[in-house]
Amino acid sequence: MARAQRARIRTAGLQPAQVLAGLASLAYLVFGIVGFTRTGFADFIGRSDATVLGISVNPLYNLGFVLLGAIGLLLTFGSGRSRVFGFLTFIAFGALFVWGLMITGTVSTNPVSQAGNPFNLNGPDNWVHLGLAALGLVIAFLPARHKVLLPEDEEETVVTDRAESATVVEPVPDTSRRPKHEKSPAVAREERPPGLAH
């Protein structure tokens, strides 16, 4: 019972969220770079007929993918940070999905119609954005692998650490084997009266 109370749970090794976030980040980065090869950098927020994997792209859209991929690669070095990347992905693509629905007329009113269509969104793009938003949620809520540390594991670690330290222990002389009539040199010195020769 005491062991169960003292056991601690820690995340163990590379987490599934980190792996998925890393793969998604690489895919976003490659998609954005390939998009730049199709569109170039001219007419940054204009309409473009260029597509990558059937998705309409323009330079601003490509830049968004490159930035998201770079941020994702930086955040994959920790389990919690990978989950933050998942939430960022969900928010970014969720917003693009809703905006795309308004631009294509699926939603009747468009409160941001004055902003135009700077990301060159169209109908098929909306469903891709919905899928990528769902992927962000999966990354954010993917269960972590844990390791249970028992007290025995901690004691072994402590013993190993002590063995590695350079502490030298000097032996203490054994005075228990002296005959009863012999006194140790320290006791004999204390019993001599002052002024006597040593």
Side-chain angles (χ1 to χ4, degrees):
M1 193 74 169
R3 282 184 186 173
Q5 291 174 352
R6 290 182 57 201
R8 292 187 300 169
I9 298 174
R10 295 284 172 97
T11 54
L14 192 64
Q15 298 298 315
Q18 290 176 265
V19 174
L20 194 55
L23 292 174
S25 300
L26 281 173
Y28 298 155
L29 195 59
V30 169
F31 182 89
I33 292 170
V34 170
F36 274 123
T37 64
R38 301 282 174 91
T39 62
F41 294 92
D43 199 12
F44 208 72
I45 59 171
R47 177 150 179 81
S48 171
D49 293 328
T51 61
V52 177
L53 299 174
I55 300 170
S56 299
V57 293
N58 70 357
L60 179 62
Y61 191 74
N62 298 333
L63 180 64
F65 268 91
V66 168
L67 288 176
L68 189 62
I71 290 168
L73 287 177
L74 292 174
L75 292 178
T76 55
F77 292 105
S79 178
R81 286 177 277 193
S82 296
R83 295 172 197 288
V84 168
F85 171 70
F87 282 117
L88 287 176
T89 303
F90 170 72
I91 291 168
F93 287 114
L96 281 177
F97 171 69
V98 172
W99 195 0
L101 290 178
M102 291 187 286
I103 286 174
T104 58
T106 307
V107 175
S108 58
T109 58
N110 185 358
V112 289
S113 58
Q114 69 276 7
N117 188 3
F119 290 102
N120 196 25
L121 302 175
N122 61 25
D125 294 350
N126 293 338
W127 305 112
V128 173
H129 296 150
L130 179 62
L132 294 176
L135 175 65
L137 277 182
V138 169
I139 293 171
F141 291 107
L142 203 60
R145 289 185 295 116
H146 292 94
K147 179 180 181 182
V148 177
L149 294 177
L150 298 174
E152 293 86 12
D153 297 336
E154 293 174 5
E155 287 170 11
E156 286 175 9
T157 305
V158 171
V159 170
T160 304
D161 292 344
R162 285 183 187 163
E164 290 174 0
S165 64
T167 306
V168 177
V169 179
E170 295 181 6
V172 178
D174 186 15
T175 57
S176 63
R177 294 186 182 173
R178 292 179 186 272
K180 290 183 180 178
H181 65 279
E182 279 188 30
K183 295 180 181 173
S184 69
V187 174
R189 256 187 251 118
E190 289 174 7
E191 289 180 354
R192 287 185 188 160
L196 291 178
H198 290 261

